[in-house]
Amino acid sequence: MFRPFKGDPDELARLVQDVIDAMQELHLKRLIFMVAMGIYNEIPASVCVQDNVDNNPAQIHNLRAAKVIEASSLDYTFLRPGFLIPGPDSVVITHRGENVSGNTTTISSVGAVAVQLVTGNLQASRDSFGLNQPTTKKI
């Protein structure tokens, strides 16, 4: 059952601004930040549009936080996973402006992408990654 977000929609944005201020004070530039799939209305009808920000007010705090980071000078990468599930590392990465092909992501996949970003094996400057499981065809 859908439950409307009852918290302060700016709380996460204020927290993010505090993080940005602290990073700037310490001369840190790199931020990897996890928000939620749906903040850019990238979930198509074939998957589940109810989780897009236009249909789900609970997403507004994620979108507002992302906008604060995007307006900063930080070298950021957003990770936008779908519903987190257990399972093997297997992920499809989409970028802002691209529709996702599913709305689930394994926890291990999020960790694997984060490790690749931290180690420099995956480059993404001022980018936003939608993370979801590869689709499997049902016969």
Side-chain angles (χ1 to χ4, degrees):
M1 168 182 246
F2 172 72
R3 294 185 181 145
F5 180 71
K6 294 184 180 182
D8 177 356
D10 291 317
E11 183 178 11
L12 186 58
R14 286 193 301 273
L15 175 66
V16 162
Q17 187 60 60
D18 289 344
V19 169
I20 292 168
D21 293 345
M23 289 180 69
Q24 289 173 337
E25 187 175 315
L26 295 169
H27 305 286
L28 300 172
K29 295 283 183 191
R30 186 72 174 113
L31 177 65
I32 300 169
F33 193 81
M34 191 161 79
V35 286
M37 183 182 290
I39 66 169
Y40 301 125
N41 293 306
E42 71 275 23
I43 306 171
S46 61
V47 175
C48 187
V49 295
Q50 73 185 29
D51 292 316
N52 283 327
V53 70
D54 283 352
N55 302 321
N56 184 351
Q59 291 280 42
I60 292 170
H61 72 287
N62 286 307
L63 177 59
R64 289 182 179 174
K67 286 182 177 185
V68 169
I69 295 168
E70 290 170 339
S72 77
S73 62
L74 295 178
D75 177 12
Y76 66 85
T77 303
F78 294 132
L79 301 180
R80 296 178 287 110
F83 295 105
L84 295 173
I85 60 172
D89 172 16
S90 180
V91 67
V92 173
I93 296 174
T94 56
H95 300 272
R96 183 175 178 170
E98 298 176 339
N99 282 344
V100 296
S101 59
N103 65 344
T104 60
T105 309
T106 63
I107 297 164
S108 61
S109 294
V110 174
V113 171
V115 167
Q116 289 180 39
L117 287 166
V118 169
T119 60
N121 292 327
L122 180 61
Q123 300 294 316
S125 179
R126 299 185 66 83
D127 204 348
S128 182
F129 286 173
L131 306 177
N132 61 271
Q133 295 306 107
T135 57
T136 55
K137 293 184 180 184
K138 295 179 182 175
I139 299 176

